[in-house]
Amino acid sequence: MARINDNYLKLKAGYLFPEIGRRVSRFVQEHPDAKVIRLGIGDVTEPLPPAIIAAMHAAVDEMASRETFRGYGPEQGYDFLREAIAEHAFAARGVEIAADEIFVSDGSKCDTGNILDILGPENRVAITDPVYPVYVDTNVMAGRTGQATEGGRYEGIEYLPITAENGFQPDLPSTRVDLVYLCFPNNPTGAVASREVLKTWVDWAKANQALILFDAAYEAFITDPSIPHSIFEIEGARDCAIEFRSFSKDAGFTGTRCAYTVVPKTVTALTASGEAQALHPLWNRRHTTKFNGVSYIVQRGAAAAFSPEGRTQVRGLVDFYMENARLIREGLSAMGIEVHGGVNAPYVWLKTPNDLSSWDFFDRLLSEAHLVGTPGSGFGAAGEGYFRLSAFNSRANVEEAIARIKNWLG
Ligand SMILES: *Cc1c(COP(=O)(O)O)cnc(C)c1O
């Protein structure tokens, strides 16, 4: 008799975005004339930069002729892309990462889940609350948690609350923890971590033989020059951290798909007999066995993000979204709403006025201002009373959204 992975049955139904979808479609059905503006899901809206499109067109043409046609490429990514990443994303910031420590993939979402393949089931995990839900659900699937509890959490995970009270900086775990997920700039709160904060985490990881899984999907949105873009800017991080990066949010690749994971050759974890084992060969084995590489055309597009024109154009996209973030943040703030984030990240995390619950605020914003955002409680219990607005939208929609909130609250 075939058996299922019973851990899947522990997953809570009614996941955040489907529930938002249900409520929005019901509203639109009942109010067909309402012009609903969506500032909810974190997906980009602007087209790919011309330098990237040109590189992808040229790559398509290469595929059309026998002399330049490409079949399977290296599973870890083409050298031209791995070298461009090493040079522009790391060496340019004084960080030494070798091209063969970079594994190109079709997404950070998959990578943050797949990394669990090479880590034992007995690892104890710490996750911030609120959090990008993928870290939680993939650990549930891997059997690293108990059942879901009343408060929407899972047994066996140490949750590290991030709220205005602690400045959105998680405390170090209070119990023995082997794996910790950190995401800076943070989705959903928009918070960033200073060099000192990251150093505290690296020191903690080294002292506790723990591994940091660092999600830097939003590093390009950092505007404050003192904030590190990579955990590897911190001394010692090469021994205790893996970093996830993506072309999704800065270069607009959410639909095109390209990301990468950095596994330094010096990062280790323990074998059953207590010896240090490098993770690099394990991830290399996993990646080359279960993945057959990102399309050549897409990798050419990704590499073009690092050409001189590509860099200028990607910067233009990021600046465009960050101006949206500024408009949202300053607009809400002027109305007396408590806002966080939106300075070094494309998300504004607001405190719901009048202590409304996150979902009550969602429903009222939808029915009274025809705007869609994301309830903070959907990212974790400690997100209750908060609400996320995304800067990924057209300028016209952002301006209209601010005007509507002003009318609504005014
Ligand atoms: C969008 C996002 C990613 C990127 O995911 P891709 O699969 O590369 O598109 C990674 N981490 C977080 C927290 C994100 O919000």
Side-chain angles (χ1 to χ4, degrees):
M1 185 73 102
R3 280 281 307 270
I4 63 156
N5 176 350
D6 281 291
N7 295 311
Y8 277 64
L9 303 181
K10 296 176 189 165
L11 292 165
K12 280 167 293 177
Y15 173 69
L16 179 61
F17 290 105
E19 177 59 25
I20 292 175
R22 273 190 291 278
R23 293 191 192 205
V24 174
S25 3
R26 194 182 326 130
F27 178 80
V28 170
Q29 256 167 24
E30 290 164 7
H31 305 85
D33 297 332
K35 192 177 159 284
V36 172
I37 297 179
R38 293 161 205 265
L39 299 163
I41 299 183
D43 193 1
V44 297
T45 55
E46 303 310 298
L48 292 176
I52 290 174
I53 291 292
M56 286 170 53
H57 279 163
V60 168
D61 287 340
E62 285 184 63
M63 294 304 242
S65 111
R66 161 172 288 279
E67 288 68 42
T68 49
F69 168 80
R70 311 265 182 149
Y72 287 124
E75 292 95 338
Q76 304 94 330
Y78 282 101
D79 285 343
F80 65 79
L81 179 56
R82 298 172 93 191
E83 282 161 12
I85 293 168
E87 180 188 341
H88 295 284
F90 295 103
R93 296 194 59 84
V95 180
E96 238 180 86
I97 292 293
D100 64 357
E101 294 176 316
I102 295 162
F103 294 84
V104 176
S105 78
D106 59 356
S108 281
K109 183 184 195 177
C110 339
D111 287 347
T112 53
N114 289 335
I115 198 73
L116 298 177
D117 272 15
I118 65 165
L119 299 165
E122 57 285 278
N123 282 299
R124 223 177 104 77
V125 179
I127 291 175
T128 63
D129 176 4
V131 75
Y132 181 55
V134 176
Y135 315 149
V136 181
D137 289 358
T138 53
N139 273 287
V140 175
M141 292 170 177
R144 213 167 274 127
T145 72
Q147 298 294 332
T149 62
E150 290 279 307
R153 293 180 161 187
Y154 289 92
E155 292 163 356
I157 291 181
E158 175 162 353
Y159 288 90
L160 311 172
I162 43 175
T163 61
E165 284 69 47
N166 60 16
F168 302 98
Q169 299 298 324
D171 286 340
L172 295 173
S174 61
T175 59
R176 183 192 63 80
V177 157
D178 309 297
L179 304 178
V180 63
Y181 290 80
L182 295 178
C183 174
F184 289 113
N186 189 254
N187 176 10
T189 67
V192 284
S194 67
R195 186 171 299 277
E196 295 68 41
V197 164
L198 291 181
K199 169 124 183 21
T200 310
W201 278 103
V202 168
D203 292 346
W204 167 85
K206 292 189 76 159
N208 291 277
Q209 294 184 297
L211 179 67
I212 298 172
L213 299 172
F214 192 79
D215 187 340
Y218 295 96
E219 59 78 27
F221 295 85
I222 293 172
T223 54
D224 177 343
S226 74
I227 300 293
H229 288 232
S230 167
I231 187 86
F232 301 122
E233 290 180 46
I234 310 301
E235 204 192 320
R238 282 187 54 95
D239 302 332
C240 62
I242 288 174
E243 181 165 296
F244 304 95
R245 295 257 191 129
S246 176
F247 293 92
S248 280
K249 308 298 165 38
D250 54 348
F253 271 52
T254 54
T256 308
R257 310 306 304 145
C258 198
Y260 53 97
T261 291
V262 182
V263 185
K265 291 184 195 124
T266 42
V267 64
T268 59
L270 300 180
T271 64
S273 52
E275 286 146 48
Q277 161 69 46
L279 293 176
H280 185 276
L282 270 57
W283 182 247
N284 190 55
R285 188 61 201 258
R286 192 264 165 220
H287 198 72
T288 54
T289 302
K290 292 198 185 182
F291 186 63
N292 240 344
V294 173
S295 126
Y296 173 70
I297 298 162
V298 168
Q299 291 192 60
R300 278 294 179 198
F306 297 115
S307 71
E309 316 78 67
R311 290 201 337 253
T312 307
Q313 292 164 7
V314 168
R315 178 54 27 214
L317 267 183
V318 168
D319 290 347
F320 172 80
Y321 291 127
M322 290 312 289
E323 176 64 8
N324 284 348
R326 188 187 68 79
L327 291 170
I328 297 171
R329 198 169 49 83
E330 293 182 359
L332 295 173
S333 195
M335 293 171 234
I337 295 179
E338 180 185 323
V339 289
H340 305 276
V343 177
N344 293 294
Y347 298 116
V348 172
W349 187 243
L350 64 97
K351 185 90 194 67
T352 60
N354 306 322
D355 287 327
L356 281 178
S357 78
S358 298
W359 276 112
D360 285 347
F361 185 79
F362 175 92
D363 288 333
R364 291 196 49 190
L365 193 66
L366 177 59
S367 64
E368 293 165 35
H370 306 169
L371 299 177
V372 180
T374 315
S377 57
F379 297 102
E384 181 56 272
Y386 290 94
F387 199 79
R388 191 190 77 175
L389 291 177
S390 152
F392 294 123
N393 220 314
S394 66
R395 185 78 83 241
N397 274 351
V398 165
E399 284 169 350
E400 166 77 15
I402 300 296
R404 286 192 199 169
I405 297 179
K406 219 173 251 170
N407 263 337
W408 175 47
L409 293 175

